[in-house]
């Protein structure tokens, strides 16, 4: 399109065609459906949902990686930033630094996905290239967030261990692989307990809080915000998220997550007895493998 042609559209002298409007909406991440259907019903808000690619090979990019990098880089430029999650399972941001745990999540994903290779065993699972390339970058960016907190469902580790046992029962994992994964799960719990005991990231001094919920958490909810941006998210398909930058969606999910604090116990920085008891219980569950 020539410059003068574009200016006539911007001045309102000529209307954008439907094709031009669709291209602009895609580039600017705007929902045309929501604009056209806007009729004052604020509850009818739409989330951008990435559909899974059924078999994530080593050569495929994972949207959750690029999305996370994109939002965290934007947060890193802000004077204050906040990241909160209510967890029904171990989230990508926590399991990603652990290669064996990440491989197990890939195993779980490919086993459930339609049209995936039948009974692909754990030893055939290969991490996508971008998972390896971005592992260090994502870890550093997460620590740059000013205020981070997780609200943890008490059943998370039990559910994960049950999944591992199921994978063994259908011969997707062998005894040696489970022993290695068990060691990494203990390292994961040790690292998380150490971080919770300090209540801050060593590298940046930024705040980290861990809550243990006394209420069941049905799905993983998340939000990120700063003075100049905000987004809310719902988990889907382990490696995918439904994302919205809509103000009302953000407010609803933000309030929902924060309301869970009323039914939760803070075990980071304070609550030493509760923290020790909780992590000892999780290690006992892992030891059943």
């Amino acid at each position: 399109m020539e410059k003068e042609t574009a200016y006539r559209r911007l001045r309102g002298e000529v209307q954008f065609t439907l094709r031009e409007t669709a291209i602009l909406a895609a580039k600017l991440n705007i929902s045309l459906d929501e604009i056209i259907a806007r009729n004052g019903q604020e509850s009818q808000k739409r989330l951008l949902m990435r559909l899974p690619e059924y078999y994530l090979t080593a050569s495929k990019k994972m949207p959750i990686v690029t999305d996370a990098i994109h939002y965290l880089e934007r947060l890193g430029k802000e004077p204050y930033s906040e990241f909160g999650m209510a967890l029904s399972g171990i989230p990508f941001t926590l399991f990603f630094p652990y290669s064996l745990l990440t491989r197990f999540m890939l195993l779980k994903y490919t086993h459930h996905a339609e049209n995936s290779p039948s009974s692909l065993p754990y030893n055939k699972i290969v991490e996508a290239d971008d998972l390896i390339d971005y592992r260090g970058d994502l870890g550093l960016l997460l620590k740059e967030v000013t205020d981070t907190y997780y609200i943890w469902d008490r059943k998370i580790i039990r559910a994960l261990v049950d999944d591992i046992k199921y994978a063994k029962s259908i011969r997707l994992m062998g005894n040696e692989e489970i022993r290695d994964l068990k060691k990494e799960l203990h390292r994961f719990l040790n690292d998380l307990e150490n971080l919770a005991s300090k209540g801050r990231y060593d590298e940046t001094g930024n705040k980290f809080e861990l809550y243990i919920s006394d209420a069941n958490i049905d799905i993983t909810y998340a939000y990120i915000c700063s003075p100049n941006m905000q987004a809310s998210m719902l988990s889907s398909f382990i490696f995918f998220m439904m994302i919205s930058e809509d103000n009302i969606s953000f407010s609803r999910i933000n309030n929902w997550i924060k309301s869970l604090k009323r039914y939760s116990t803070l075990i980071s920085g304070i609550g030493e007895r509760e923290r020790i008891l909780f992590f000892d219980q999780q290690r006992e569950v892992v030891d059943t493998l």
Side-chain angles (χ1 to χ4, degrees):
M1 181 182 294
E2 295 181 358
K3 186 178 294 186
E4 182 57 33
T5 303
Y7 283 151
R8 286 201 299 271
R9 282 161 171 75
L10 292 175
R11 290 193 298 264
E13 297 172 3
V14 178
Q15 291 186 345
F16 285 98
T17 67
L18 180 59
R19 180 175 179 274
E20 291 165 351
T21 304
I23 291 173
L24 286 171
K27 291 293 184 182
L28 297 174
N29 195 25
I30 297 171
S31 170
L32 288 180
D33 286 345
E34 188 169 326
I35 293 172
I36 295 170
R38 190 173 291 162
N39 56 6
Q41 296 183 14
E42 294 184 344
S43 62
Q44 295 184 2
K45 296 296 178 182
R46 292 165 174 81
L47 295 174
L48 175 63
M49 179 176 179
R50 289 188 180 273
L51 294 176
E53 297 182 51
Y54 289 119
Y55 180 46
L56 297 173
T57 66
S59 62
K60 286 185 180 285
K61 294 286 185 181
M62 286 192 179
I64 195 170
V65 177
T66 53
D67 286 347
I69 293 290
H70 167 71
Y71 281 108
L72 289 170
E73 283 179 339
R74 290 172 63 187
L75 283 183
K77 299 175 183 178
E78 299 286 343
Y80 173 81
S81 53
E82 183 174 316
F83 174 35
M85 294 190 83
L87 308 176
S88 63
I90 300 178
F92 172 76
T93 52
L94 289 180
F95 72 66
F96 182 54
Y98 302 87
S99 60
L100 299 183
L101 187 52
T102 300
R103 283 178 60 194
F104 178 76
M105 295 300 183
L106 282 166
L107 171 70
K108 184 177 176 181
Y109 172 86
T110 56
H111 182 68
H112 287 291
E114 297 178 16
N115 300 324
S116 64
S118 177
S119 301
L120 190 69
Y122 179 80
N123 60 13
K124 299 295 184 183
I125 296 292
V126 180
E127 289 185 79
D129 294 337
D130 60 327
L131 284 180
I132 299 171
D133 294 341
Y134 290 142
R135 180 163 279 143
D137 294 340
L138 185 60
L140 291 174
L141 288 170
L142 284 167
K143 295 171 185 176
E144 293 294 333
V145 178
T146 311
D147 192 346
T148 299
Y149 69 89
Y150 293 95
I151 303 175
W152 187 281
D153 191 304
R154 291 180 181 274
K155 303 186 301 297
I156 286 177
I157 295 298
R158 169 63 67 185
L160 174 62
V161 167
D162 287 345
D163 286 343
I164 296 171
K165 290 178 178 178
Y166 173 73
K168 179 184 178 182
S169 72
I170 59 175
R171 300 178 181 176
L172 294 180
M173 298 184 72
N175 290 332
E176 184 175 349
E177 292 161 342
I178 289 180
R179 282 195 298 269
D180 291 340
L181 182 54
K182 178 180 175 180
K183 290 178 183 178
E184 188 168 84
L185 278 173
H186 275 297
R187 182 163 66 87
F188 166 79
L189 289 171
N190 291 341
D191 292 345
L192 186 59
E193 181 179 19
N194 183 54
L195 179 58
S197 68
K198 296 176 180 178
R200 296 191 178 276
Y201 291 110
D202 288 335
E203 295 84 351
T204 60
N206 286 330
K207 189 176 179 181
F208 175 89
E209 291 183 330
L210 181 64
Y211 293 82
I212 306 303
S213 176
D214 291 317
N216 293 331
I217 300 175
D218 52 350
I219 190 173
T220 293
Y221 308 84
Y223 73 87
I224 56 174
C225 65
S226 70
N228 297 304
M229 66 162 290
Q230 60 187 28
S232 54
M233 307 162 195
L234 301 176
S235 69
S236 62
F237 305 107
I238 304 175
F239 286 98
F240 296 83
M241 298 288 286
M242 293 178 282
I243 303 172
S244 174
E245 295 187 15
D246 172 76
N247 291 339
I248 294 175
S249 297
F250 171 82
S251 179
R252 297 279 175 85
I253 291 179
N254 181 302
N255 291 337
W256 184 271
I257 293 173
K258 288 184 174 178
S259 73
L260 284 172
K261 289 184 178 181
R262 300 201 306 267
Y263 314 107
S264 305
T265 303
L266 177 64
I267 63 169
S268 56
I270 60 176
E272 183 174 7
R273 180 178 177 275
E274 290 81 3
R275 182 174 62 250
I276 292 172
L277 178 61
F278 171 75
F279 280 101
D280 283 348
Q281 290 171 343
Q282 307 315 300
R283 293 185 182 97
E284 290 175 2
V285 172
V286 172
D287 282 336
T288 64
L289 286 172

